Amino acid sequence: MGYSQANMIAAVLLLSALLMDCSTASTANGKGLSTSVTVTNAPGYLNASSHHEPGFENPARDLSVDDVVDYLNRFHSDLQATDRYTTDNVCVFTVAKIGNPPQSVLLVSLDVNGRMFCRETDAISRNGRELRLAYVRTSEEDTTAGLVRVPEGASRPYLFVSSDISPYEGASGCVASVPRIYDLKDGRLVEVSQHFPVFYRKQIEAETSRVSLKDKGFDICREMATDKMKRIARIDDRAGFQTALLWMHADDTSTREKAVSVFGDIRDAPALEALKKMTKDQDRLVAEEATMQIKNIESRDPSVDQPGFVDSIRDKP
């Protein structure tokens, strides 16, 4: 098992602190617009205190974890019986409203590989007789089903999830992650992070004001996350480039891997040139990752790191 209970609790607290200015949800009677984390316990997982949201399609009843599994399997009817979703795959879930106009959406955090890493958030919405499922990859340590809130300068709610921007390094290492903001359009999740610079400026200020950790590795992850948020907010499109030039010559493999990630995200000509040099790295995995980043840049594949979508399914007549 990849995480101790203490690690998972710390992960929840970290995400809550990162988005600490969320407003309080109206949850006394299960009605109202959810604007903070709401989770429902599922077997085998450590979750925060929970309450039931109204049923996704039938507000007269509560939505159970078995209902959630049924929704998921309706989208994956081609799976073998042994590969179909069970309650053990569901980490947490909530019903919230996002989109324009806001509509009820079932948000589910999933462990898709049985390793107790809740690495995917699914959004199931209804359009008439059609159900639509969109999904996005989330942080290794994100044990929520996403945060729904109204960001600064906006008039309606959006979905916030935590996203890794550096490779997983095991329990002793650090992973840089940042919050990303998504909207729901025609049943698809669309990233709109760049439209909310005020939010990211506040996150950057919070990160830079924290007392530096003693562990240099964790300082690197914090710096990497801060630079990424500067790029998202268009404060500096090349934030982190000069630092990555130093990291690419570091003695330890994990720091060089982070350099590859930074160059791959910046994607300009100097970053591409740096990646070409890193294809000759002494570590095979670093060299392969650099090669993959080059292919992504040169192909300009718009699907890279974009949310996924499963074909709609229709109710039976």
Side-chain angles (χ1 to χ4, degrees):
M1 177 171 146
Y3 290 99
S4 65
Q5 290 191 350
N7 286 79
M8 296 186 75
I9 292 173
V12 174
L13 294 176
L14 176 62
L15 182 61
S16 299
L18 189 60
L19 303 173
M20 59 187 174
D21 54 348
C22 296
S23 57
T24 303
S26 172
T27 58
N29 59 1
K31 296 180 180 180
L33 178 65
S34 295
T35 52
S36 65
V37 172
T38 302
V39 298
T40 303
N41 285 328
Y45 291 91
L46 175 70
N47 298 314
S49 299
S50 66
H51 72 274
H52 288 291
E53 289 282 349
F56 175 51
E57 295 177 287
N58 181 4
R61 67 176 177 82
D62 287 340
L63 187 67
S64 72
V65 66
D66 291 315
D67 295 325
V68 173
V69 171
D70 179 62
Y71 279 123
L72 294 169
N73 284 325
R74 288 168 67 184
F75 279 95
H76 302 283
S77 58
D78 58 329
L79 292 177
Q80 297 293 326
T82 54
D83 296 327
R84 291 173 70 78
Y85 287 104
T86 70
T87 55
D88 288 335
N89 294 115
V90 179
C91 303
V92 292
F93 66 90
T94 185
V95 175
K97 290 191 175 182
I98 55 176
N100 186 22
Q103 66 180 104
S104 293
V105 179
L106 171 59
L107 299 170
V108 188
S109 177
L110 285 172
D111 169 17
V112 295
N113 58 18
R115 297 175 58 204
M116 299 193 78
F117 289 153
C118 306
R119 295 230 56 196
E120 179 178 306
T121 293
D122 286 15
I124 302 177
S125 59
R126 174 172 285 283
N127 180 19
R129 293 182 58 190
E130 282 190 342
L131 283 175
R132 299 175 176 178
L133 184 148
Y135 59 91
V136 63
R137 296 272 289 178
T138 57
S139 169
E140 292 277 9
E141 297 183 344
D142 192 348
T143 57
T144 74
L147 244 163
V148 175
R149 54 156 290 179
V150 179
E152 295 85 353
S155 58
R156 60 184 180 86
Y158 294 82
L159 172 66
F160 289 65
V161 299
S162 178
S163 176
D164 290 344
I165 59 171
S166 70
Y168 176 64
E169 300 176 357
S172 61
C174 74
V175 178
S177 60
V178 297
R180 294 182 185 267
I181 307 174
Y182 293 91
D183 197 10
L184 188 74
K185 296 182 179 179
D186 297 324
R188 296 176 182 269
L189 289 174
V190 179
E191 185 171 4
V192 292
S193 303
Q194 68 275 17
H195 299 311
F196 300 100
V198 175
F199 167 79
Y200 285 101
R201 287 179 184 274
K202 287 187 175 182
Q203 302 307 313
I204 292 168
E205 290 174 3
E207 282 293 301
T208 54
S209 65
R210 290 183 183 180
V211 177
S212 177
L213 297 175
K214 293 181 179 180
D215 191 322
K216 181 181 177 182
F218 284 87
D219 281 338
I220 288 177
C221 284
R222 178 172 297 166
E223 183 174 4
M224 189 175 179
T226 300
D227 287 336
K228 172 59 177 177
M229 288 190 285
K230 288 179 181 178
R231 297 195 297 272
I232 291 175
R234 302 296 168 83
I235 296 171
D236 181 357
D237 290 340
R238 306 189 75 246
F241 179 78
Q242 293 299 325
T243 302
L245 287 178
L246 299 176
W247 289 353
M248 67 184 289
H249 299 294
D251 292 333
D252 60 293
T253 302
S254 65
T255 300
R256 299 200 304 278
E257 286 180 329
K258 290 178 174 63
V260 171
S261 298
V262 172
F263 294 140
D265 190 64
I266 293 176
R267 302 174 72 89
D268 61 9
L272 182 60
E273 187 62 30
L275 284 171
K276 290 178 179 178
K277 293 179 180 179
M278 297 198 74
T279 60
K280 299 179 176 61
D281 192 275
Q282 60 187 359
D283 184 90
R284 178 179 59 83
L285 294 179
V286 174
E288 289 178 352
E289 179 61 25
T291 300
M292 183 181 300
Q293 292 285 2
I294 291 172
K295 291 180 179 178
N296 291 339
I297 294 173
E298 292 179 338
S299 67
R300 298 184 181 276
D301 185 355
S303 67
V304 175
D305 295 329
Q306 293 300 308
F309 181 76
V310 177
D311 288 341
S312 301
I313 57 175
R314 291 181 62 84
D315 290 338
K316 295 179 181 179

